[in-house]
Amino acid sequence: MITLGLDVGAVSLKLAAVGDGSAAEALSRLASESFFAPTSSPIAGLRLALSRIRPVHGNPLQGALELLQEFLDYVPADSVGGVRVTGLGGRLITEALSAEFENEFRAVAKGVRALYPEVRTVFEMGGETCKYIRLDPDDHTSYLGISDYSASGDCAAGTGGFIEQQASRLRYAVEDVGPAACSASCAARVAGRCSVFAKTDMIHAQQKGYSTEQILRGLCDAVARNFKSSIVKGHEVAPPVLFIGGVALNQGVRNALREAFKLQQHEFIVPELYSWLGALGAALFEAETPTQRRFAGIERLREVAVARQNFPCTEPLSLANVELLRDRAASPPPFTNAHPVEAYLGIDIGSVSTNLVVLDGQRNLLKEIYLATEGRPIEVVTRGLAEIQEELGRRLMIGGVGTTGSGRELIGELVGADIVTDEITAHKTGAMHVCREMGMPPVDTIFEIGGQDSKFIRIERGVVVDFTMNEACAAGTGSFLEEQAERLGISIKGEFARLALSSQNPARLGERCTVFMERDVNGLLRKGAQVADLCAGLAYSVALNYLNRVVRGRKIGDVIFFQGGTAYNDAVAAAFSQILGKTIIVPPHNGVIGAIGMALIARQRMQRREERSRFRGYDLSQVNFSTRDFVCKACSNYCDMKEFVVAGQRSYWGDKCSDKFRKRPRGDRKPVIQDLLEFRDKLLEQVVAPKPAKANGHAPLRVGIPRAMFFYDRAPFWAAYLQGLGFEVATSRATDGKIATAGDELAIAQPCFPVIVAHGHVQDLLQRGVDYVLVPNTLDYETPDHSVKSHLCPWNQTLPFVLRAAPKLEDGAGRLLAPTVHFRLGPEHVRKALEQFARHFGIPSGVNKRAVKAAYAAQERFRDTLLKAGEDALARLEQTGEPALVLLGRPYNLYDRNINCDIPRKLRTLYGTNVIPLDFLPLEEEDVSEINDNMYWNSGRLILAAARITRRYPNLHLVYISNFKCGPDSYIKSFVNDASGKPSLLLQFDGHSNDAGFLTRCEAYLDSKGFLRCNSAPTAV
């Protein structure tokens, strides 16, 4: 009897047929051009036949039908005992065949164990997915020895499709990439995290004179770097390593992987069956089924394949809810006399486009220029300035210059900018100006989509209160759309939007990486989709990608501006309007709004200061500067960087993925209150500092307190209590990258980042050999009024049980101490609850009673000390009139420097801001019932209390620090602005971000509130 395994990947199909001796004759009939047998019989007692790799062409149902039909042309259906399906595209085929589906990891592990039992690690790179699997050869459970695993997500970086797309750009067949890469003497630097960024790098490498072979070698190196940083991510790689999947044929990637993981030749195996192990594993699983299902044939599959030839569609695009204001732009005023006109220059230097505008002293637009950056910002700005000089130069007297965008520091130094600021402030300022000029309601939401960047800005009463942008993915940006248009053979300017708006059946393409989208588009073309339908589908895709990956559930207002180069595409504006059911406004000058904003900011600054502009003139060739090239290795992109030194000032160009090399606007403002964050840190360290254990009749036990969750607000209580019982107290080290990474590997659920970090802290203490680790089961906190509830969040309440459930902490589960405590029920209840805890260690009730009393006293001293410092800070602010930021949030979000990227401290050190965390304020005196009469969460009550206090102080402003996946905060934040009566800034951390985007948001908020545009009082500290 024969059993079949069918591996349905995103790009290709593979079939494995396994049979015993009686199946030899049937399997031998298979035609050699379509099927083959391995060179040697790999599994004792079994015969094996494999199909050649079949491309899916975007239609796995049809591909599977044709492959199975060809198999059955040679092998009778009644000799097939069953079929099992695996792979990314296998679910639908499984249903049509009435077959069993097998998990891909299990199928691969089964195939590996059957043929290569000595293998410890598997690397797989397929057409659209990558996998890492670590195997334990001694594990014979149903887990097949899988001790660890990881897989790629929605990004195609490092996959076969990624390589194929980049190769096609260089006119190479994908099978020729490996030999070409191996022939290169050196490698060009290519981004490994995004297809769009990779394309940009390859163009720049060609401009620098790198050969195509050197670029392809750089591509292979980028794939290996990405696999190491994004898929393996610090997991153990134990040799021997088996490299499988279609990319395993690429010798260039093989060499790069061996080098990246420092593996010897004999430790890195590329098997003969590099692409068939999943199919083989599925067939072997089916062969082991106790009661085999009879093969049901392929008629049902044929019916489903025919029915699925139609593609899903969505509603046609319409401009009915789009306001296109381009034609309403005012014409430049005429020059009426021979005297030069006072003018202000704004320059926005982006990765794809560079924009220059000139405004006169009355804010009239005199000139706008939109140019492609092409990786050469200096040359492009020089060209733009020359155009301005030729057309207007003698008629202008430049009174101020402002620069923004990714090249703002570099160009700012070269042109002699008077102010350099972030894109958010520039775009907000430009948009607000347009509203005033056109007599419109003020904008409250900005969608800005450029060539490789997408930004979302939310504004309340002229203040930026939320901002986010895309990170390492350019899907859904202008470059993404331009590339798809190029593939379809149409012009992105005009023709794309015209076709999209004419479509009656827009294809439903969803939101995909550019590599995946290309395959989807090709598959739909084969099914008969019209180019117009695909253009409309792509317009929807850009809008969906932006809303789901950039906006991600943030509040969207009612006056929405669509800005940036992509806003020239009316089809995308129409897609936004239909998805949201809101009016989308495309303002005049939508491509240069950021530059307009910078010209306005420069005008405001220079008119206030009444000083001469630093503008160096229109000819940048007269500016002396030096350059140095280097490679940034902060992530797997390995960006090619240039350092420019102009008049002793260093500026940088080339950083794609962060603001790592940006200067921060260090104004003249200085804080006038003491550093309350440092004050609190020192106070907390004094509380938990090691103290001699009290004699209690037995050898002192060492109990660890993890620096996580409850530590940041209840450490004084628990440290004093444990010391009062006679225990020696130790703490885990401060959160760092190793602890955070360990927590990520240990956590089995998907909690918020602080809970993940808690896993790492507990492991740190267990590894340091403490006798026990304290993780109390705390359910609630004290309240001033018993009618008010004060629950902790579910993750906080169940933390000890979550930790005990982590398999890799299982050995230490018995050393976790988890006394159940209801602080809300008062000291006497807490004493009785902890009496049971103390009794477990043979500690008398009298000792426990004194320890509880000491714990409450320590907590009260800690709280009172903070309140006194806060009282002094408020008095100082009232005396000086200086503004300050009140930090809202849970203690572990506010005070763990790793979790919050140290943003609270950087607000003070980088911007001279006065910072007051909420627990320095008299929160218990505030009644929040007017805001919410049933605030269930303890943290919510305190956050709203702090917000109410700021309502009474015009100079206090709010920054709310939270984290993604925090359920209570998602509810609490909606009440904050009502409580405070003023806009607040929300920062959400997830453990995967650097500080760049957060600092940019802070800058925009501080600028909106006036922190960055005026000096502080002279009595600063």
Side-chain angles (χ1 to χ4, degrees):
M1 193 60 71
I2 298 170
T3 57
L4 304 181
L6 183 61
D7 185 355
V8 186
V11 175
S12 63
L13 290 156
K14 286 82 63 177
L15 180 72
V18 174
D20 53 22
S22 65
E25 182 182 352
L27 292 176
S28 66
R29 300 189 194 119
L30 292 170
S32 60
E33 65 270 15
S34 300
F35 298 88
F36 71 98
T39 53
S40 61
S41 181
I43 306 174
L46 292 179
R47 295 296 299 270
L48 177 60
L50 306 169
S51 71
R52 305 288 176 185
I53 298 174
R54 299 287 187 93
V56 169
H57 292 312
N59 193 342
L61 283 165
Q62 187 64 34
L65 176 65
E66 292 172 0
L67 179 56
L68 288 170
Q69 180 63 69
E70 189 165 349
F71 179 84
L72 294 174
D73 287 344
Y74 296 96
V75 178
D78 58 8
S79 64
V80 177
V83 59
R84 190 167 297 209
V85 186
T86 189
L88 191 66
R91 290 284 183 183
L92 187 60
I93 294 168
T94 300
E95 296 172 12
L97 291 173
S98 299
E100 186 84 9
F101 181 81
E102 189 58 60
N103 174 274
E104 298 164 65
F105 287 93
R106 281 173 48 83
V108 169
K110 183 72 170 176
V112 171
R113 292 201 72 156
L115 300 183
Y116 312 101
E118 75 282 5
V119 164
R120 296 291 309 281
T121 306
V122 179
F123 291 170
E124 181 180 5
M125 289 189 189
E128 288 191 3
T129 58
C130 295
K131 298 184 188 71
Y132 153 86
I133 308 173
R134 190 157 58 82
L135 300 172
D136 178 0
D138 299 324
D139 185 349
H140 298 285
T141 66
S142 60
Y143 293 105
L144 299 165
I146 299 175
S147 57
D148 200 0
Y149 66 92
S150 179
S152 57
D154 295 333
C155 178
T159 64
F162 174 82
I163 296 172
E164 185 175 4
Q165 187 181 76
Q166 312 316 315
S168 68
R169 288 168 174 163
L170 297 173
R171 303 294 187 266
Y172 267 75
V174 68
E175 57 268 21
D176 296 330
V177 171
C182 292
S183 69
S185 57
C186 64
R189 292 289 176 186
V190 176
R193 295 177 69 191
C194 179
S195 174
V196 174
F197 295 155
K199 176 185 177 181
T200 304
D201 278 356
M202 292 194 300
I203 291 171
H204 295 169
Q206 287 175 318
Q207 292 169 344
K208 293 176 182 177
Y210 283 99
S211 69
T212 52
E213 291 80 8
Q214 291 168 335
I215 295 171
L216 289 171
R217 180 171 170 182
L219 179 66
C220 294
D221 289 348
V223 166
R225 286 197 312 271
N226 185 78
F227 188 84
K228 183 175 183 180
S229 65
S230 300
I231 310 300
V232 178
K233 294 187 295 189
H235 295 260
E236 181 185 358
V237 175
V241 174
L242 195 72
F243 184 27
I244 62 173
V247 182
L249 285 184
N250 187 315
Q251 185 65 49
V253 175
R254 290 190 212 173
N255 294 344
L257 280 172
R258 275 205 310 272
E259 183 178 341
F261 290 97
K262 297 180 173 55
L263 295 168
Q264 300 298 316
Q265 188 79 33
H266 68 277
E267 296 175 325
F268 191 80
I269 304 166
V270 179
E272 177 191 2
L273 304 187
Y274 63 91
S275 209
W276 290 269
L277 290 172
L280 174 61
L284 293 173
F285 271 124
E286 186 65 20
E288 294 173 358
T289 303
T291 55
Q292 285 193 357
R293 294 169 294 278
R294 299 302 300 172
F295 180 50
I298 60 173
E299 286 309 311
R300 172 62 180 153
L301 179 60
R302 192 186 313 278
E303 293 171 6
V304 175
V306 171
R308 288 276 177 158
Q309 284 301 312
N310 296 324
F311 55 88
C313 301
T314 188
E315 61 180 306
L317 293 168
S318 168
L319 290 173
N321 221 16
V322 177
E323 291 187 24
L324 300 174
L325 305 182
R326 300 188 195 102
D327 298 335
R328 292 171 55 184
S331 300
F335 291 93
T336 56
N337 56 55
H339 297 294
V341 172
E342 176 190 5
Y344 298 90
L345 179 62
I347 309 176
D348 183 355
I349 311 94
S351 55
V352 172
S353 68
T354 292
N355 316 310
L356 298 89
V357 302
V358 180
L359 301 183
D360 67 15
Q362 285 70 49
R363 297 186 289 269
N364 297 308
L365 182 65
L366 304 179
K367 176 73 175 175
E368 67 173 283
I369 300 174
Y370 186 94
L371 299 168
T373 305
E374 297 174 341
R376 299 178 175 180
I378 296 175
E379 292 89 334
V380 170
V381 171
T382 299
R383 197 161 74 240
L385 289 174
E387 184 178 332
I388 293 172
Q389 183 181 29
E390 182 179 350
E391 187 175 329
L392 302 172
R394 286 173 296 180
R395 300 178 177 182
L396 303 179
M397 180 185 68
I398 300 297
V401 181
T403 59
T404 191
S406 55
R408 60 183 181 260
E409 278 94 17
L410 165 62
I411 299 302
E413 290 294 342
L414 288 171
V415 303
D418 301 293
I419 185 166
V420 176
T421 196
D422 61 277
E423 301 97 312
I424 313 169
T425 300
H427 276 280
K428 184 265 296 188
T429 303
M432 298 289 286
H433 167 72
V434 169
C435 290
R436 286 191 296 270
E437 290 293 302
M438 306 200 73
M440 299 170 54
V443 60
D444 57 25
T445 305
I446 296 174
F447 295 169
E448 197 273 335
I449 304 181
Q452 291 183 0
D453 296 327
S454 301
K455 303 178 187 70
F456 168 81
I457 306 170
R458 189 163 65 83
I459 305 165
E460 290 183 10
R461 288 174 269 175
V463 176
V464 174
V465 295
D466 200 4
F467 161 79
T468 188
M469 65 183 294
N470 64 325
E471 293 173 351
C473 176
T477 60
S479 293
F480 164 86
L481 207 57
E482 187 174 0
E483 188 161 296
Q484 300 305 321
E486 185 181 322
R487 294 277 178 182
L488 292 170
I490 60 175
S491 170
I492 190 65
K493 295 182 179 178
E495 186 180 11
F496 183 100
R498 178 178 58 77
L499 287 170
L501 291 167
S502 71
S503 169
Q504 296 304 303
N505 299 293
R508 194 185 296 273
L509 292 169
E511 38 167 326
R512 299 271 271 166
C513 164
T514 183
V515 175
F516 299 159
M517 186 63 75
E518 181 183 331
R519 296 195 186 284
D520 291 348
V521 167
N522 290 338
L524 289 174
L525 283 171
R526 289 187 176 90
K527 289 183 177 182
Q530 300 299 306
V531 171
D533 300 333
L534 295 172
C535 289
L538 287 166
Y540 271 116
S541 179
V542 167
L544 284 168
N545 187 90
Y546 178 86
L547 294 171
N548 293 336
R549 296 173 185 244
V550 180
V551 180
R552 292 195 289 183
R554 289 174 166 84
K555 180 181 177 181
I556 296 173
D558 296 317
V559 183
I560 305 169
F561 269 26
F562 181 24
Q563 301 174 185
T566 304
Y568 287 114
N569 193 316
D570 294 347
V572 178
F576 274 124
S577 73
Q578 286 176 241
I579 293 169
L580 295 172
K582 293 174 178 277
T583 299
I584 300 297
I585 302 167
V586 180
H589 321 295
N590 58 271
V592 298
I593 294 275
I596 291 173
M598 279 316 305
L600 291 165
I601 292 169
R603 173 184 175 276
Q604 180 190 30
R605 180 186 181 91
M606 300 309 291
Q607 289 186 349
R608 187 176 66 240
R609 291 197 169 195
E610 298 182 353
E611 58 186 37
R612 188 182 180 87
S613 173
R614 294 176 61 241
F615 182 50
R616 300 179 190 272
Y618 297 102
D619 187 359
L620 296 187
S621 65
Q622 301 301 310
V623 181
N624 293 321
F625 62 90
S626 61
T627 66
R628 175 179 72 91
D629 293 345
F630 67 99
V631 176
C632 171
K633 298 182 178 179
C635 75
S636 64
N637 264 343
Y638 275 36
C639 297
D640 267 331
M641 299 292 300
K642 274 188 177 294
E643 178 188 71
F644 295 82
V645 182
V646 185
Q649 294 294 316
R650 284 178 167 77
S651 300
Y652 299 88
W653 172 261
D655 186 19
K656 299 180 190 65
C657 34
S658 73
D659 288 341
K660 178 179 173 63
F661 293 96
R662 302 280 174 82
K663 297 175 194 170
R664 294 293 153 201
R666 298 172 185 269
D668 298 326
R669 184 177 294 283
K670 302 292 182 184
V672 298
I673 64 174
Q674 69 170 318
D675 188 338
L676 297 180
L677 290 156
E678 182 182 11
F679 174 81
R680 192 184 191 279
D681 280 351
K682 289 181 178 178
L683 189 63
L684 197 58
E685 289 306 311
Q686 292 171 9
V687 167
V688 299
K691 296 178 177 62
K694 296 180 180 179
N696 60 1
H698 59 77
L701 294 172
R702 195 158 166 253
V703 178
I705 300 179
R707 290 179 183 267
M709 306 298 284
F710 70 95
F711 173 85
Y712 290 98
D713 57 345
R714 288 290 157 151
F717 180 93
W718 291 110
Y721 175 68
L722 292 173
Q723 289 162 352
L725 294 183
F727 295 132
E728 181 184 337
V729 173
T731 60
S732 57
R733 66 180 190 272
T735 307
D736 55 24
K738 289 184 177 179
I739 280 182
T741 300
D744 195 31
E745 295 174 4
L746 290 164
I748 57 172
Q750 293 294 319
C752 63
F753 186 53
V755 174
I756 288 174
V757 167
H759 286 69
H761 280 284
V762 169
Q763 184 188 61
D764 176 63
L765 288 167
L766 293 172
Q767 290 176 343
R768 286 167 54 191
V770 297
D771 297 297
Y772 294 97
V773 176
L774 177 73
V775 188
N777 174 215
T778 307
L779 300 177
D780 49 34
Y781 277 170
E782 300 91 346
T783 59
D785 180 352
H786 269 284
S787 66
V788 178
K789 296 178 181 177
S790 58
H791 291 275
L792 302 190
C793 79
W795 286 107
N796 239 319
Q797 292 176 332
T798 59
L799 183 61
F801 311 107
V802 171
L803 292 166
R804 284 172 177 162
K808 293 183 181 178
L809 293 177
E810 190 175 2
D811 291 343
R815 293 155 62 194
L816 296 186
L817 303 179
T820 299
V821 179
H822 288 266
F823 281 110
R824 185 167 179 268
L825 298 180
E828 184 60 21
H829 187 278
V830 170
R831 180 190 66 76
K832 291 179 180 178
L834 291 179
E835 193 170 287
Q836 298 177 25
F837 170 79
R839 192 180 299 129
H840 174 75
F841 294 98
I843 298 173
S845 59
V847 173
N848 176 73
K849 183 176 182 180
R850 289 191 294 274
V852 170
K853 185 177 181 180
Y856 270 103
Q859 189 70 37
E860 188 173 351
R861 282 194 303 273
F862 180 75
R863 185 196 65 206
D864 290 347
T865 305
L866 297 186
L867 290 176
K868 179 62 171 66
E871 182 182 345
D872 293 343
L874 289 176
R876 179 73 167 156
L877 292 172
E878 187 172 0
Q879 175 191 354
T880 61
E882 280 292 286
L885 294 176
V886 172
L887 301 184
L888 308 181
R890 300 159 190 277
Y892 45 82
N893 285 330
L894 294 182
Y895 302 117
D896 189 319
R897 295 187 177 204
N898 184 278
I899 284 177
N900 60 33
C901 298
D902 210 18
I903 294 298
R905 289 159 184 83
K906 290 173 183 175
L907 287 169
R908 179 184 174 95
T909 58
L910 293 181
Y911 308 113
T913 305
N914 299 296
V915 176
I916 305 178
L918 83 170
D919 54 1
F920 283 80
L921 301 175
L923 306 178
E924 301 296 350
E925 300 172 9
E926 292 295 318
D927 179 10
V928 301
S929 59
E930 291 182 12
I931 306 300
N932 186 305
D933 61 0
N934 186 27
M935 178 47 69
Y936 187 85
W937 309 108
N938 182 72
S939 59
R941 179 176 59 83
L942 300 179
I943 287 168
L944 295 185
R948 275 185 61 85
I949 290 173
T950 64
R951 179 185 281 269
R952 300 196 292 271
Y953 294 86
N955 59 335
L956 295 187
H957 307 281
L958 295 169
V959 177
Y960 192 154
I961 295 181
S962 183
N963 57 76
F964 286 106
K965 300 184 182 179
C966 181
D969 274 3
S970 67
Y971 167 73
I972 295 163
K973 67 185 182 184
S974 63
F975 297 97
V976 168
N977 288 1
D978 288 340
S980 64
K982 59 187 73 173
S984 60
L985 174 66
L986 173 67
L987 301 177
Q988 290 180 296
F989 296 85
D990 62 359
H992 300 292
S993 308
N994 58 29
D995 66 357
F998 297 110
L999 288 174
T1000 303
R1001 289 174 226 183
C1002 291
E1003 287 172 21
Y1005 181 75
L1006 292 173
D1007 187 88
S1008 300
K1009 288 289 190 177
F1011 281 78
L1012 301 183
R1013 299 196 195 181
C1014 59
N1015 300 331
S1016 61
T1019 53
V1021 296

